[in-house]
Amino acid sequence: MERAWQENGRPVTALRPFDAAMKMFMQERNIPAGQLAVTRHNRLVLARSYAWTDDTVEACRLGPTSLFRIASLSKPVTGVAANVLVQRGDLDLDARLTDLVDMAPVPGETADPRLDQITVRRLLQHLGGWDSDISGDITLEDVAAAEALGASLPVGIDQVVRYGAGRPLDHDPGTTYAYSNYGYMLLGEIVESIAGVPYDLFVQRNVLAPLGITRMRLARTLREHRAPTEVRYFSQRTGSTVMDDSGAQVAAPYGTFRLESRAAIGSWLSSAVDMVRFASLYGTDTVLGFEAKERTFSEPETGHEPGGWYYGLGWFVVPGGTGEPGFRAFHAGLYPGTATYLTRNPDATTFAALFNQSDDPSGLDYQVIIDLLHQAAEQVSNWPDHDLYDEYFPSPWT
């Protein structure tokens, strides 16, 4: 059978440029499944799913609330969880990492004395001192961690933390921006320690439930463990499994990294409508008050990059723009089999786009979807005044 389109979710004539952008992007890369949600002034104006596949069963399963791995779009979620604890007075942004997490290294290794200079704020802003471009991503070194600990695969979060505790920092804390998955793994441990409950349970109760979000949950690695409405993931890559010691070659999305060890880094499952609902918390006082929202997007002590952008508490921030909030905040997520994007714009629009593929033989750029969606928004002459939130969130906004 040849690939064919199947679209679900209410079509909106005035917003057809978004449909065109998504379909062009997916068709050029042969992406089987995608989702898009768009809000305007905190109203959900578009919620669509797009299947470009010859698999009629999967096409029929796909809808606007199907679940996708969102990868690093999980980091804004972790940022809010930490911010909630700060807002309550239970956590100090300037508290030292070593006072909150046991950073004792594996036998034979010595902890970097500069660990004492790492604070919660620096972890959130990727200023902790680890630099994967220099020494690799600690959270993807499962085999090395198991060997250092004399353990079998798979390794858990506590084992990865201990393995990383013996690695020297690449920069003095607070001096250099360097995106760090390990830092966000440590933030998940901090949230659990302060809250006294598992990380995901705290997020569901204190971040998602107040927004009426009930579908989001943590993903699992293996294909047979996917959630009931979760999509399948596609990649042209393969690699050695980290789920056991067999060394077996597996499809990259299903075992070359372990989602169960990456909760606060990038393990959430979500739909696009859930992600824009999450982002809408910054337009209400439902979860975070004014001061908490202000510090989310405040400038770091250092780390301004070319073009003026910087990393706040879980978001990339680009200052400037006409309208409210006066800056663009965004994040992207990438795994084999996963490409995700979430953007809050100064013109009061928010986009969330999720895909179940991140590489293909075309070699085309996947992040170009961000520009395509902005171009689609510029083509909208009359934004609709409807609000589709009631269709997807039966509980009232509180």
Side-chain angles (χ1 to χ4, degrees), residues 137-398:
D137 185 343
I138 294 168
T139 70
L140 294 176
E141 297 178 9
D142 300 61
V143 173
E147 291 176 351
L149 292 160
S152 298
L153 292 171
V155 291
I157 294 175
D158 57 336
Q159 292 171 302
V160 178
V161 167
R162 193 176 180 200
Y163 166 71
R167 295 281 290 273
L169 297 177
D170 301 300
H171 308 286
D172 290 339
T175 65
T176 306
Y177 165 82
Y179 192 87
S180 174
N181 283 321
Y182 183 65
Y184 266 73
M185 176 178 280
L186 295 171
L187 284 166
E189 295 295 277
I190 290 170
V191 169
E192 284 202 357
S193 176
I194 298 297
V197 296
Y199 160 83
D200 60 318
L201 184 58
F202 180 81
V203 169
Q204 287 170 330
R205 287 177 177 175
N206 299 279
V207 178
L208 305 180
L211 299 169
I213 299 173
T214 59
R215 288 174 286 263
M216 288 179 64
R217 68 194 71 180
L218 292 183
R220 299 186 66 185
T221 302
L222 298 179
R223 191 194 314 262
E224 58 265 32
H225 294 154
R226 67 172 173 160
T229 65
E230 185 180 356
V231 299
R232 290 190 300 171
Y233 306 99
F234 296 86
S235 173
Q236 57 188 337
R237 304 171 188 165
T238 60
S240 299
T241 183
V242 297
M243 300 301 289
D244 56 47
D245 293 316
S246 68
Q249 292 293 295
V250 296
Y254 293 109
T256 60
F257 55 96
R258 185 171 185 264
L259 286 164
E260 290 83 353
S261 297
R262 304 178 69 78
I265 303 170
S267 288
W268 284 99
L269 292 172
S270 182
S271 66
V273 293
D274 288 318
M275 288 315 297
V276 294
R277 178 76 156 195
F278 163 76
S280 292
L281 73 84
Y282 296 102
T284 75
D285 292 327
T286 303
V287 176
L288 298 178
F290 176 79
E291 290 184 2
K293 288 183 285 188
E294 284 282 297
R295 63 175 165 259
T296 297
F297 305 109
S298 61
E299 297 185 14
E301 61 192 288
T302 189
H304 287 74
E305 300 299 310
W309 67 264
Y310 58 85
Y311 200 93
L313 306 187
W315 290 87
F316 292 95
V317 181
V318 182
T322 301
E324 181 62 34
F327 56 84
R328 182 164 69 95
F330 69 95
H331 218 292
L334 189 69
Y335 281 143
T338 302
T340 61
Y341 307 94
L342 177 64
T343 304
R344 299 182 67 245
N345 302 302
D347 63 355
T349 58
T350 297
F351 315 139
L354 313 179
F355 304 98
N356 69 338
Q357 181 175 290
S358 61
D359 63 85
D360 69 272
S362 75
L364 293 171
D365 181 12
Y366 276 62
Q367 293 207 28
V368 71
I369 188 60
I370 299 173
D371 294 331
L372 294 177
L373 293 176
H374 282 284
Q375 292 167 16
E378 291 172 358
Q379 296 174 46
V380 177
S381 56
N382 292 297
W383 287 88
D385 58 8
H386 62 241
D387 189 348
L388 304 179
Y389 269 135
D390 288 345
E391 295 185 19
Y392 299 100
F393 300 89
S395 57
W397 184 283
T398 55

